[in-house]
Amino acid sequence: MDDRGGSFVAVRRISQGLERGGDYHSTSAEVVAGSAAWIGKGLSCVCAQRRESDARPSFDLTPVQEECLQKLQRRVDVPYNSSNPEHQEALQTLWDVSFPEEELHGLISEQWKEMGWQGKDPSTDFRGGGFISLENLLFFARTYPKAFQDLLQKREGDRALWEYPFAVAGVNITFMLIQMLDLEAVKPRTMSGAVFCKLLSENELAFDILYCITFKLMDQQWLSMHASYMDFNAVMKSTRRELERELLLEDITRLEDMPSYSLLRS
């Protein structure tokens, strides 16, 4: 990861979980410091142009696509601010939708480790993803609650003894997508980024939906690779390759057409 990043922690799963309010809930167990793991069809209106000063091509956008991209970039540019009431409220809401049966005893609390944050203050983990990474988690929890809870509680599959921490992994995913889609560039410089801009112009929630798809896909890759926390970088790279492949499939005209979208409904 670049200088905006942070460290990654591994969560040891001592037991399958414990009951809370009748719902299955995984325990945070032990948390240890780990290595840094931060790691087309229908594009007739998009033309590749190579600049002399840049070895990579850039892609021209329609005015609508450019406007949608700039709107998303403004979201990406917002850092998490622990003194901002709106950000505080969003963080509180994330807890409420994640653990509706358990009251949070403060925005700085050991309870946050249950969700897979590195410590008792989640704000320290947002450096790599900014406020949009919190928005992504909230969107996931509200829009696909079953898929969200399945990942949060590690309900599916034969899990590793040392599991990835859910919340920190979520911030990693936001950061990876920003890089993959080249969202900090004026224009996309990859075909997958150009395809995404077209999808974004047709659905302003495209980034949030793609985030949810990516989280489920990452977990599937994790399970299929029989990964443990030392493999997190490899899992993220594999996830990125699969995302790029699916975005370039000929029959993808919306995110719901991506094969991995079905993981959100399973």
Side-chain angles (χ1 to χ4, degrees), residues 95 99 102 219 242 249:
W95 177 270
F99 304 113
E102 181 180 352
D219 190 72
E242 178 60 21
L249 293 174

Side-chain angles (χ1 to χ4, degrees), residues 28-100:
S28 61
E30 300 173 29
V31 179
V32 299
S35 60
W38 291 84
I39 42 169
K41 186 177 180 182
L43 284 171
S44 58
C45 58
V46 179
C47 304
Q49 294 183 335
R50 185 174 298 276
R51 296 175 295 180
E52 292 181 1
S53 60
D54 194 341
R56 291 190 293 175
S58 65
F59 294 82
D60 281 342
L61 304 176
T62 67
V64 172
Q65 291 169 357
E66 187 173 354
E67 180 182 355
C68 291
L69 176 60
Q70 290 174 352
K71 183 177 180 180
L72 177 57
Q73 288 172 330
R74 288 194 290 271
R75 289 179 63 195
V76 169
D77 287 341
V78 177
Y80 181 83
N81 183 352
S82 59
S83 63
N84 185 320
E86 178 187 352
H87 295 194
Q88 293 173 348
E89 182 180 357
L91 188 58
Q92 175 69 56
T93 302
L94 178 63
W95 177 270
D96 293 340
V97 297
S98 300
F99 304 113

